[in-house]
Amino acid sequence: MKPTEGRRRIVIEEVQPQVDAARYPAKRTLGDLVTVTAAIFGDGHDRVAARVLYRHASQSTWKQARLTALPNDFWTANFVVDKLGPWRFTIEAWIDHFDTWMHDLEKRLKAQPDPKEPTQQISTAQDIPLALRIGAGHLDAAAARAIGDDARELKAAAIDLRSMADANEPLYGPIDLDDIALVAAKYPDLSFATKYATEIPIWVDRERARFSSWYEIFPRSCSPAPDKHGTFRDLAARVPEISAMGFDVLYMPPIHPIGVAFRKGKNNSVTAAPGDVGSPWAIGAKEGGHTALLADLGTFDDFAALVKATKANGMELALDIAFQCSPDHPWVTEHPEWFIQRPDGTIQYAENPPKKYQDIYPLNFESKNWTGLWDALFGVFEFWIERGVRIFRVDNPHTKALPFWEWCIAEIQRTTPETIFLAEAFTRPHVMYSLAKGGFTQGYTYFTWRNTKADLQSYFEELTAPPVVEFFRPNVWPNTPDILHEQLQEPDPISRRAMFLQRVILAATLSSNYGIYGPAYELCEWRPAKPAPGKPGSEEYLDSEKYQLRHWDRRAPISIAPEITQLNRIRHENPALQRNENLSFHACANPNLLCYSKSTPDLANTILIVVNLDNRNEQAGTVDLNMAALGLPWQGDFEVEDLLTGARFLWRDQRNYVALRPEVPAHILRIVR
Amino acid sequence: MKPTEGRRRIVIEEVQPQVDAARYPAKRTLGDLVTVTAAIFGDGHDRVAARVLYRHASQSTWKQARLTALPNDFWTANFVVDKLGPWRFTIEAWIDHFDTWMHDLEKRLKAQPDPKEPTQQISTAQDIPLALRIGAGHLDAAAARAIGDDARELKAAAIDLRSMADANEPLYGPIDLDDIALVAAKYPDLSFATKYATEIPIWVDRERARFSSWYEIFPRSCSPAPDKHGTFRDLAARVPEISAMGFDVLYMPPIHPIGVAFRKGKNNSVTAAPGDVGSPWAIGAKEGGHTALLADLGTFDDFAALVKATKANGMELALDIAFQCSPDHPWVTEHPEWFIQRPDGTIQYAENPPKKYQDIYPLNFESKNWTGLWDALFGVFEFWIERGVRIFRVDNPHTKALPFWEWCIAEIQRTTPETIFLAEAFTRPHVMYSLAKGGFTQGYTYFTWRNTKADLQSYFEELTAPPVVEFFRPNVWPNTPDILHEQLQEPDPISRRAMFLQRVILAATLSSNYGIYGPAYELCEWRPAKPAPGKPGSEEYLDSEKYQLRHWDRRAPISIAPEITQLNRIRHENPALQRNENLSFHACANPNLLCYSKSTPDLANTILIVVNLDNRNEQAGTVDLNMAALGLPWQGDFEVEDLLTGARFLWRDQRNYVALRPEVPAHILRIVR
């Protein structure tokens, strides 16, 4: 069957940014310049014109920007997203007959016989007048589409062309049509324009979605007195010093009543001793569940004071949302249909046979009352949003139904688009990426287990290039309360400090979003829990804060807090480090030296980083820079300033020698322009 | 807004084969095994099951095949396309609770205390009976979905499990559930199954779309007598010898009346001398247009005899369809609205300013009467299809509207799906690929201008890998009447012969579809037309057959017809050479030695080719084979047979020495298994 209009001769393909054929939005942040590219072409040699149409979803009219041609039938345009939330864009393209005519005329005029060389004879006598008349026709048509002065101007230009045709005098130079072409371009003939079939979604988050520094802390360990249960007030008192370190997100593990049934004791022992505080992730007791506070931490007033203290210090509070219940959670009795019931009437606890987690009841996303469950979970977010929280770290989202997240996050961001969701999913790549596509603002990563140069480079190349960079924002953590990587389990204090420095430098410079499980990282806490007999080494902390209070002495001499403070300052002062799609790696033959850079789009700020991955030995080598990525000529001197030491070096051309000792395991070089 | 059913927990992504998000069909040929892959996953750790649903578009019911798991959440299944034309497939996936239960049970049983080691104590006493009852519940549910014996069997198995649970005796070994699992798998619970949103199209062509050897010949040069205008009868007489060379498609330039107005003379001179035959592409005279025959070539009876002769010799005739008109074409007066009219009432001839082609009127695809034009062009194909033609080589399709081709080809193939269209488009990559997506069965390529090892390898890697391999079938030509590449313009007869051999070997082994402009290639015709003064070298033939008759002496001693015959025999005897997606390149440090291989999917036939790209010197080097691509172990001896010389060699491991002189510029080695 023929199309309704067979004269739409343009094809529009490969439109970017686009995630899974526009099934999911590409992510950007407020104020970003969105660079659209597309392949746009038609049959034959006619010239093409195209524009991108874009709008915030709340607006009914499109704004537009002309696309400009790149090589190989690709086109590009930019637009700024200046409002949070959902945007749409699409592309419209058409054959520009006036532009085609202008370029042909230019070639015709160039081919005219040169009056100084009368031997040349190209018989074009009638061609030029005819061409002028054809052009006049195009201008008439444009005038009919135009309004006001523009219409008059176009009509006048048409009359001029016809007069020239009537005069039929030889024309040797080019005719200046640039001005009238600009007017004509405002009134394109869209009768046979092709519109891209899809309106492509973009989601715009606030800046913190792209650039954030997280500090995780257990409020119950914040009391100045050892062995005393800490409170929100205790934590609020420490906010100024955490803020002074340069962190902007203060993240607390769950703050709800903790279950008593099957409570875990210290070091995850199966039976709790009297006085054991239990795991904050065993959520719910008779006092309440996900919308209640653990009384030992304080009241809602205390919580509000903490929210206020973080704001006053330029920080934000992030809550941990773990959708699971202790056997004592009110939902267990109020909504037994939200859980899996076994044939004996008991509720199915969490299992990974033969392992059992009898202190945790998972929710059943195949519940007959799934809509009630979804509403209740949504309500948990709503509850804390009403209390001033706008950042949520979601615990194990990959064990909850993916369609739930897509609905829930969209529903929340519909009214509070500034809400940020960090997915704590350490699972298979497809599932992690699917959570991001479905709406999670940021995601935890495999960074902790990417420890060699090859692994770091290939992983961050994947994360910072399309398609992944369009939807997945990494938030990289050198440690978490669950993960003390083997690399950090270093008994020797000198090598240990070097390794902790190395990993936090990598995290803070490879990724614009990063975080640390704060007190343990600052103090280079390294002792792992004893592995089970016959099992490989554990990544659990010894005396883990997950099961007991800890008292951290932030003044201990091993503390790397000063270096972390410096790192955060460098991140704040250098916008190149505040985004990820600008990451480039540079070659170095030494497998222990990782070299990479980030630049702002305008190249005003370029940071070049070299990290020594060996925490025991000095490593040296020649880095072989990709000068184009640095915005530098391939040859010539350039100055670099080491932002860690303040030293300045003069580097020459692309190959430069570097030596790094473990104590200061990196250069963070700003290119001085 | 919540989805209708929020319990569909599976995500299906990255489904292949798929072209532009299913906007265009992926191409296959009759009898192909279509390998479907997809990423399929859900939340949590439940086990997933999935099936591909597929059907010919003419059938209303789906066939199905279970997908099996690959690493990293990828799944795969195969199905055979055993009917020409349009097919559809999609994927359905669900959580398999019975399978999840079985695997958990196995782990539970393994973790049971060993009766021989009574010290081990894991308190699972009630777990196993409970698990057995849960499994019985799954089997009951499957029985309710099942029919006949299967239902009875499932019910019985459920009763067995419950008896075991009631007995509550220790179970130490695994329970054998494999048989009942197979029965249960026939009746999956699809209540919460996810269906992929799209029905993905596949187009199935006949085998010749994938594997063909074309011979281009001007019938007017086929007279045994020099200077006499050849006829269809003359060509028919030569079909047996062309067939004996192993070609299966006989392709003729246009056979219609040739325009008189502005007819081109010999060597493309602007004025024709009396008796000049003109260009066959200047179609149309008072005798008729695209559905008429040039009287000098013969009658429709003669044409029918030629069709019959090609069939009798196992060949097929391919017609050249060039949608353009000489000023004498009947359409010019019958349908002036199909052309562009200039302000002076004249019709616009073809131009690329300042060049003019006054003997050619292009069609106007923006005509007010575009539907009439489309119908007329469609009618041309229909006319020749009625006369037994099923292969069309379409001249310059990229200067006609792309939507026209998509409609026209679909409309023709709706009733004659065996029709093959070869796009003669030498233009920008997007346009060439778009023609293929829009329906062209095969396309001309840049092969002629890919002459170095790096260029050949990167180009054929692009052509033989997704996405391109899914829609674009290359048909590679070392020469055409329009293109005598500089490489072939070799005065020295020894080097010339070597170059002609090299290029046809590359064409015939890199691509399953290839062709030659036959007589000129066999006889190593090398003389270029004189370039215009001050212009770079010409790719036009001197005394081009496009403008005059030629008499070819096929018995000339330089003829490479015997070698071409041998090449075609090798192609016919070795199915590995009859497809393209199986191409692999192998390393060799010598930049003049190109090494590649092709295998059948079952590895029964593997051909390894090494070509010397230097037509003047012997080149030698060590090839470094990718043994996996050859289906060989990384170490060990293997025998190869050179299909060009009959010699057999024993090769060892992956590195083997090769030396090739220009006279026999290639090894075509069959791996002897």
Side-chain angles (χ1 to χ4, degrees):
Chain A
M1 214 176 59
K2 291 193 191 74
T4 324
E5 176 52 80
R7 291 171 290 185
R8 304 192 198 282
R9 291 162 52 201
I10 300 288
V11 174
I12 306 172
E13 288 185 345
E14 297 176 53
V15 181
Q16 293 296 337
Q18 187 166 183
V19 178
D20 288 8
R23 165 70 178 81
Y24 303 101
K27 291 191 179 121
R28 291 295 185 272
T29 49
L30 196 65
D32 273 357
L33 198 67
V34 177
T35 297
V36 172
T37 57
I40 304 176
F41 51 90
D43 61 279
H45 306 288
D46 289 338
R47 291 178 71 89
V48 166
R51 62 186 182 186
V52 56
L53 303 173
Y54 61 97
R55 61 180 171 93
H56 189 272
S58 66
Q59 294 157 342
S60 56
T61 56
W62 296 101
K63 289 177 193 163
Q64 50 173 285
R66 276 300 263 265
L67 289 120
T68 56
L70 300 171
N72 200 19
D73 289 321
F74 282 107
W75 293 71
T76 191
N78 297 314
F79 62 89
V80 174
V81 280
D82 52 9
K83 189 173 153 76
L84 289 186
W87 286 68
R88 303 278 179 272
F89 78 93
T90 193
I91 288 176
E92 194 171 33
W94 60 95
I95 289 176
D96 188 334
H97 288 293
F98 182 71
D99 192 37
T100 306
W101 170 83
M102 271 207 317
H103 280 80
D104 282 356
L105 181 68
E106 198 180 316
K107 285 189 277 181
R108 280 179 218 280
L109 290 172
K110 264 195 199 143
Q112 288 276 91
D114 184 338
K116 292 168 208 149
E117 294 190 35
T119 52
Q120 278 195 9
Q121 287 208 358
I122 302 177
S123 156
T124 54
Q126 280 314 301
D127 281 4
I128 302 291
L130 260 175
L132 295 174
R133 284 183 216 282
I134 290 170
H138 289 310
L139 288 173
D140 280 343
R145 291 187 294 270
I147 46 170
D149 285 350
D150 287 344
R152 275 185 291 280
E153 216 174 306
L154 291 162
K155 210 160 216 50
I159 291 169
D160 280 355
L161 289 184
R162 283 211 181 79
S163 310
M164 290 166 76
D166 290 343
N168 198 11
E169 283 167 4
L171 281 167
Y172 298 114
I175 305 178
D176 186 359
L177 293 161
D178 291 352
D179 290 343
I180 199 69
L182 286 177
V183 180
K186 288 162 71 179
Y187 307 97
D189 179 4
L190 300 177
S191 343
F192 307 145
T194 300
K195 206 161 180 178
Y196 189 66
T198 315
E199 291 184 10
I200 300 171
I202 290 181
W203 176 264
V204 177
D205 287 301
R206 59 189 168 117
E207 192 198 13
R208 188 148 286 161
R210 165 168 59 73
F211 173 51
S212 62
S213 313
W214 292 49
Y215 191 91
E216 178 172 3
I217 191 163
F218 287 72
R220 69 188 186 186
S221 292
C222 285
S223 166
D227 299 328
K228 197 181 156 198
H229 199 288
T231 64
F232 294 135
R233 298 273 172 190
D234 293 332
L235 176 54
R238 300 183 61 168
V239 167
E241 69 188 26
I242 299 169
S243 168
M245 288 173 74
F247 289 97
D248 46 35
V249 179
L250 183 69
Y251 149 49
M252 298 185 296
I255 53 177
H256 315 298
I258 294 170
V260 177
F262 298 99
R263 174 176 287 195
K264 295 288 170 68
K266 287 176 180 151
N267 283 302
N268 200 19
S269 71
V270 179
T271 46
D276 275 352
V277 288
S279 162
W281 285 273
I283 293 172
K286 64 177 188 307
E287 297 84 3
H290 288 78
T291 52
L293 292 174
L294 180 69
D296 287 341
L297 290 172
T299 64
F300 277 100
D301 282 347
D302 298 332
F303 181 80
L306 177 59
V307 171
K308 203 173 161 192
T310 52
K311 274 192 194 146
N313 285 277
M315 296 188 73
E316 266 187 88
L317 203 61
L319 284 201
D320 189 325
I321 301 294
F323 281 143
Q324 55 192 18
C325 298
S326 96
D328 307 317
H329 195 293
W331 286 350
V332 175
T333 44
E334 291 165 13
H335 291 285
E337 79 278 13
W338 291 349
F339 302 88
I340 295 171
Q341 296 180 48
R342 304 201 294 182
D344 64 352
T346 59
I347 286 180
Q348 178 68 61
Y349 45 80
E351 278 193 295
N352 184 13
K355 284 196 208 159
K356 304 171 173 198
Y357 308 93
Q358 284 153 313
D359 57 334
I360 300 290
Y361 287 175
L363 294 160
N364 178 16
F365 282 83
E366 292 192 4
S367 166
K368 281 200 172 65
N369 182 17
W370 62 272
T371 55
L373 174 61
W374 285 25
D375 288 337
L377 301 181
F378 171 80
V380 171
F381 288 110
E382 215 175 24
F383 180 90
W384 295 108
I385 286 172
E386 278 164 19
R387 276 147 195 86
V389 179
R390 289 293 183 280
I391 306 187
F392 298 98
R393 177 270 196 195
V394 177
D395 191 77
N396 282 331
H398 58 290
T399 59
K400 285 89 199 173
L402 295 162
F404 162 70
W405 291 119
E406 191 170 5
W407 168 80
C408 179
I409 294 175
E411 196 61 17
I412 287 166
Q413 290 186 331
R414 199 167 51 80
T415 48
T416 50
E418 71 275 23
T419 313
I420 288 175
F421 295 86
L422 165 62
E424 188 257 357
F426 293 107
T427 182
R428 288 119 52 213
H430 274 112
V431 181
M432 290 179 66
Y433 289 157
S434 196
L435 288 162
K437 290 176 184 174
F440 276 92
T441 321
Q442 303 179 348
Y444 279 67
T445 70
Y446 306 139
F447 168 73
T448 321
W449 304 277
R450 295 296 178 270
N451 313 101
T452 65
K453 178 176 174 171
D455 280 358
L456 282 163
Q457 178 162 342
S458 70
Y459 186 46
F460 278 87
E461 281 173 347
E462 174 182 320
L463 293 178
T464 58
V468 178
V469 74
E470 303 294 7
F471 58 83
F472 182 80
R473 290 202 194 90
N475 192 330
V476 311
W477 293 66
N479 74 330
T480 77
D482 293 314
I483 313 164
L484 172 67
H485 190 272
E486 192 184 4
Q487 274 197 319
L488 303 177
Q489 301 174 15
E490 170 61 65
D492 173 60
I494 305 287
S495 306
R496 187 195 319 154
R497 203 172 189 283
M499 181 54 79
F500 274 74
L501 279 179
Q502 179 205 123
R503 293 297 294 178
V504 73
I505 290 171
L506 288 169
T509 56
L510 280 168
S511 171
S512 54
N513 295 301
Y514 92 109
I516 53 173
Y517 162 35
Y521 204 85
E522 275 170 68
L523 299 172
C524 304
E525 175 71 20
W526 64 280
R527 291 164 310 149
K530 286 199 190 76
K535 296 278 172 164
S538 165
E539 290 189 339
E540 290 286 334
Y541 281 91
L542 183 67
D543 301 333
S544 169
E545 239 179 318
K546 291 195 290 184
Y547 311 106
Q548 66 188 77
L549 308 185
R550 288 288 297 268
H551 185 73
W552 302 99
D553 176 12
R554 290 197 69 240
R555 271 72 204 164
I558 198 169
S559 170
I560 58 168
E563 287 86 347
I564 294 173
T565 306
Q566 194 185 15
L567 265 179
N568 283 332
R569 187 181 46 71
I570 292 170
R571 283 164 51 88
H572 277 275
E573 288 174 1
N574 291 280
L577 297 175
Q578 298 169 12
R579 43 202 331 129
N580 286 335
E581 76 287 352
N582 57 350
L583 178 67
S584 300
F585 286 93
H586 301 264
C588 178
N590 185 330
N592 280 296
L593 291 180
L594 182 67
C595 181
Y596 50 97
S597 68
K598 290 187 167 189
S599 279
T600 50
D602 62 1
L603 297 174
N605 183 234
T606 300
I607 304 296
L608 175 64
I609 298 126
V610 191
V611 181
N612 174 6
L613 301 180
D614 179 351
N615 66 326
R616 295 173 187 276
N617 304 292
E618 173 170 310
Q619 293 287 343
T622 299
V623 293
D624 201 345
L625 301 173
N626 174 354
M627 302 301 266
L630 300 173
L632 291 172
W634 285 93
Q635 291 191 313
D637 294 346
F638 59 99
E639 197 182 355
V640 296
E641 177 192 4
D642 192 327
L643 300 175
L644 288 176
T645 64
R648 291 195 167 219
F649 308 102
L650 197 66
W651 279 24
R652 171 161 295 174
D653 305 344
Q654 54 183 129
R655 293 173 61 82
N656 288 277
Y657 178 81
V658 167
L660 287 163
R661 289 182 306 149
E663 301 92 282
V664 185
H667 285 311
I668 302 183
L669 304 170
R670 185 176 64 85
I671 311 268
V672 181
R673 303 213 190 245
Chain B
M1 214 174 63
K2 291 194 191 76
T4 324
E5 177 49 83
R7 291 170 292 185
R8 303 192 199 285
R9 291 164 51 203
I10 300 288
V11 174
I12 305 172
E13 289 184 345
E14 298 175 53
V15 181
Q16 293 295 338
Q18 187 166 184
V19 178
D20 287 7
R23 164 70 180 80
Y24 303 101
K27 293 191 178 121
R28 292 295 185 273
T29 50
L30 198 64
D32 274 356
L33 198 67
V34 178
T35 297
V36 172
T37 56
I40 303 176
F41 52 90
D43 61 279
H45 306 287
D46 289 338
R47 292 179 70 89
V48 167
R51 62 186 182 186
V52 57
L53 303 173
Y54 62 97
R55 61 181 171 91
H56 190 273
S58 66
Q59 295 157 344
S60 57
T61 56
W62 296 99
K63 290 178 192 164
Q64 52 174 282
R66 276 301 263 262
L67 288 120
T68 55
L70 300 172
N72 200 18
D73 289 321
F74 282 107
W75 292 71
T76 190
N78 297 314
F79 62 90
V80 175
V81 281
D82 53 8
K83 188 173 157 74
L84 289 186
W87 286 68
R88 303 277 179 276
F89 77 93
T90 193
I91 289 177
E92 195 170 34
W94 59 95
I95 288 176
D96 188 334
H97 287 293
F98 181 70
D99 192 37
T100 306
W101 170 83
M102 270 207 318
H103 280 80
D104 282 355
L105 181 68
E106 200 181 314
K107 286 188 276 180
R108 280 178 218 279
L109 290 172
K110 265 194 198 145
Q112 289 276 89
D114 185 337
K116 290 168 209 149
E117 294 190 37
T119 53
Q120 278 194 7
Q121 287 210 359
I122 303 178
S123 158
T124 54
Q126 279 314 301
D127 281 4
I128 303 292
L130 260 176
L132 294 173
R133 285 182 215 284
I134 291 170
H138 290 309
L139 288 173
D140 279 342
R145 292 187 295 270
I147 46 170
D149 285 350
D150 287 344
R152 275 185 290 280
E153 216 173 306
L154 289 162
K155 212 161 214 48
I159 291 169
D160 280 355
L161 288 185
R162 284 211 182 79
S163 310
M164 289 166 76
D166 290 342
N168 197 10
E169 283 167 5
L171 280 169
Y172 299 112
I175 305 177
D176 186 359
L177 292 162
D178 291 352
D179 290 343
I180 199 69
L182 287 177
V183 180
K186 289 162 71 177
Y187 307 97
D189 179 4
L190 301 177
S191 345
F192 306 145
T194 299
K195 207 163 181 179
Y196 189 65
T198 317
E199 291 184 10
I200 300 170
I202 290 180
W203 177 265
V204 176
D205 287 301
R206 60 191 168 114
E207 192 197 13
R208 190 147 287 162
R210 167 168 58 73
F211 174 50
S212 63
S213 313
W214 293 49
Y215 192 91
E216 176 171 4
I217 190 163
F218 286 72
R220 69 187 185 185
S221 290
C222 285
S223 166
D227 299 325
K228 200 181 152 199
H229 199 288
T231 65
F232 294 134
R233 298 272 173 194
D234 293 332
L235 176 54
R238 300 183 61 168
V239 167
E241 71 188 26
I242 299 169
S243 167
M245 287 174 75
F247 289 97
D248 45 36
V249 179
L250 183 69
Y251 149 49
M252 300 185 295
I255 52 178
H256 316 298
I258 295 171
V260 177
F262 297 99
R263 176 177 284 195
K264 296 288 170 69
K266 286 178 179 147
N267 283 303
N268 199 21
S269 71
V270 178
T271 48
D276 275 353
V277 288
S279 161
W281 285 273
I283 293 172
K286 61 177 193 303
E287 296 84 4
H290 288 79
T291 53
L293 292 174
L294 180 70
D296 288 341
L297 289 172
T299 64
F300 276 99
D301 282 347
D302 299 331
F303 182 80
L306 177 59
V307 170
K308 201 173 160 191
T310 52
K311 273 191 195 148
N313 284 276
M315 296 188 75
E316 266 187 88
L317 203 60
L319 283 202
D320 190 326
I321 300 295
F323 282 142
Q324 54 192 19
C325 298
S326 96
D328 308 316
H329 195 293
W331 286 350
V332 176
T333 45
E334 291 166 11
H335 291 285
E337 80 278 13
W338 291 350
F339 303 87
I340 295 170
Q341 296 181 50
R342 305 201 292 181
D344 64 351
T346 59
I347 286 181
Q348 178 67 62
Y349 45 79
E351 277 192 297
N352 184 13
K355 285 195 207 160
K356 303 170 173 201
Y357 308 94
Q358 285 152 314
D359 56 333
I360 299 292
Y361 287 175
L363 294 160
N364 177 16
F365 283 84
E366 292 191 4
S367 166
K368 281 200 172 63
N369 182 16
W370 63 272
T371 55
L373 173 62
W374 284 26
D375 288 336
L377 302 182
F378 172 81
V380 171
F381 289 109
E382 215 176 23
F383 180 91
W384 293 108
I385 285 171
E386 277 163 20
R387 276 147 195 86
V389 179
R390 289 293 182 280
I391 306 187
F392 297 97
R393 176 269 197 198
V394 178
D395 190 79
N396 283 333
H398 58 291
T399 59
K400 286 89 199 172
L402 295 162
F404 162 71
W405 291 120
E406 190 169 5
W407 166 80
C408 180
I409 294 175
E411 197 61 17
I412 287 166
Q413 290 186 332
R414 201 168 49 81
T415 48
T416 50
E418 71 275 23
T419 313
I420 288 174
F421 296 85
L422 166 62
E424 188 257 357
F426 294 107
T427 181
R428 288 122 48 216
H430 275 113
V431 180
M432 290 179 65
Y433 288 156
S434 196
L435 289 162
K437 290 176 184 174
F440 277 91
T441 321
Q442 302 179 349
Y444 280 69
T445 69
Y446 306 139
F447 167 73
T448 320
W449 303 278
R450 295 295 177 272
N451 313 102
T452 66
K453 178 176 174 171
D455 280 359
L456 282 163
Q457 179 163 342
S458 70
Y459 186 48
F460 279 88
E461 280 173 346
E462 175 182 321
L463 293 178
T464 58
V468 178
V469 74
E470 303 293 7
F471 59 83
F472 182 80
R473 290 202 195 88
N475 192 330
V476 310
W477 292 67
N479 74 331
T480 77
D482 293 314
I483 312 164
L484 173 67
H485 189 271
E486 190 185 5
Q487 275 198 319
L488 302 177
Q489 300 174 16
E490 170 62 65
D492 173 61
I494 304 286
S495 306
R496 187 194 319 153
R497 202 174 189 281
M499 182 52 80
F500 273 75
L501 280 177
Q502 179 205 123
R503 292 297 295 178
V504 73
I505 290 170
L506 288 169
T509 56
L510 280 169
S511 172
S512 53
N513 295 299
Y514 91 109
I516 54 173
Y517 162 36
Y521 204 86
E522 274 171 68
L523 298 171
C524 304
E525 176 70 19
W526 65 281
R527 290 165 309 147
K530 286 197 191 78
K535 295 278 173 164
S538 167
E539 290 188 340
E540 289 285 334
Y541 280 93
L542 183 67
D543 302 332
S544 169
E545 241 179 317
K546 291 194 289 184
Y547 311 105
Q548 67 188 75
L549 307 184
R550 288 288 297 268
H551 184 72
W552 302 100
D553 176 12
R554 291 198 67 242
R555 272 72 203 162
I558 198 170
S559 170
I560 58 169
E563 287 87 347
I564 294 173
T565 306
Q566 194 186 15
L567 265 179
N568 283 332
R569 186 180 47 70
I570 292 170
R571 282 165 51 87
H572 277 276
E573 288 174 1
N574 292 279
L577 297 175
Q578 298 170 13
R579 41 202 331 130
N580 286 335
E581 77 287 352
N582 57 351
L583 178 67
S584 300
F585 286 92
H586 302 264
C588 178
N590 184 331
N592 281 296
L593 291 180
L594 182 68
C595 181
Y596 50 97
S597 68
K598 289 186 168 190
S599 278
T600 51
D602 62 1
L603 297 173
N605 181 236
T606 300
I607 303 296
L608 175 65
I609 298 125
V610 191
V611 181
N612 174 5
L613 301 179
D614 178 351
N615 67 326
R616 294 173 188 278
N617 305 290
E618 173 170 310
Q619 293 287 344
T622 299
V623 293
D624 201 343
L625 301 173
N626 174 353
M627 302 300 267
L630 300 172
L632 291 172
W634 285 93
Q635 291 191 314
D637 294 348
F638 59 99
E639 198 183 354
V640 295
E641 178 192 4
D642 192 328
L643 301 174
L644 287 176
T645 62
R648 290 194 170 221
F649 308 101
L650 197 65
W651 279 24
R652 171 160 297 175
D653 305 341
Q654 53 182 133
R655 292 174 61 80
N656 287 277
Y657 179 82
V658 166
L660 287 163
R661 290 182 306 148
E663 302 93 280
V664 184
H667 285 310
I668 302 183
L669 304 169
R670 185 176 64 84
I671 311 267
V672 180
R673 303 215 190 242

